[in-house]
Amino acid sequence: MTHILLVEDDPAIAMSLKVTCKREGWDITWLDNASSVLPMLCSDEARNLSAIILDVGLPDGDGLSLCQQIRHSAGIDALKDIPIVFLTARSDEVDRILGLEMGGDDYCAKPFSPRELVARLKAIWRREQLLSQQSSSNIITDNIVNDTLMSGQALTFNCQSGVWHYQPLNYSLMWQEQKLELSNTERKILLTLLQAPNQVFSREQLLSAVSDYPDHRLARTIDSHIKSIRKQLATIDASTDVIHTHRGLGYGLCPA
């Protein structure tokens, strides 16, 4: 049975969501404070959780900080990638973006429709299923990237963004005839994307492709590497979008 954890201090909202979830045949656990969340996630009750609905404004804590703790706390490794949807009364775009950057998968601004929230959860699970299928059938692993690095042969990639040249002997990657100054991780990320220009990679897939010791707790560091790569590409040609963000999925060279 689908099991949802709801963290919300407003009883009226909680009751409405409980009714809607039960109509879907879902089991729901309701907590009205932040301090009870991590202990619950460490218990047997959390073993089969499917998602967390998390209010941003709680009486004893900040939902954004709580999300960060869930993503990085020891003892709940199996739940570090669980979908988290924020409930927020904040209308400021910065707050919504911050929630997503801290590890949230989606958000609903109050007032909201419980049916909309259910639909958003189902959409997240569909994307997860798609990524799982893609991962099993069409994933480029670190071995392919390492084979490229060790081949010693110059490579040329023809993509929508232009022509790329890679020379493994001196680790030189060039775009639009200009050499990029990349870290080893950034170079591997680009090589992974270039070898499958029509594929969308999740953060976890990219991390597995570029690291000998992939750790899902660090998967979101891929975002900062992508940001650094984009910044350097913009100095060469700010008018061309090279790496595209596919919301809820990851990154690819193909447009969203």
Side-chain angles (χ1 to χ4, degrees), residues 169-186:
L169 294 179
N170 60 5
Y171 304 105
S172 173
L173 184 60
M174 300 185 67
W175 177 56
Q176 297 192 6
E177 303 302 326
Q178 295 195 48
K179 182 180 178 181
L180 300 171
E181 299 298 330
L182 304 167
S183 68
N184 188 45
T185 297
E186 291 166 356

Side-chain angles (χ1 to χ4, degrees), residues 62-125:
D62 182 353
L64 298 176
S65 299
L66 183 56
C67 173
Q68 204 166 32
Q69 292 179 57
I70 294 170
R71 294 300 188 210
H72 298 284
S73 291
I76 55 172
D77 289 344
L79 297 173
K80 290 187 183 301
D81 295 320
I82 190 169
I84 295 177
V85 176
F86 284 113
L87 301 180
T88 175
R90 305 178 183 183
S91 59
D92 191 344
E93 181 184 26
V94 174
D95 288 323
R96 300 198 300 270
I97 293 173
L98 185 60
L100 297 175
E101 290 182 342
M102 281 192 166
D105 295 278
D106 206 343
Y107 64 87
C108 275
K110 299 177 181 179
F112 64 91
S113 162
R115 292 179 62 186
E116 177 190 358
L117 181 54
V118 166
R120 287 179 180 272
L121 284 171
K122 290 180 177 179
I124 291 172
W125 292 329

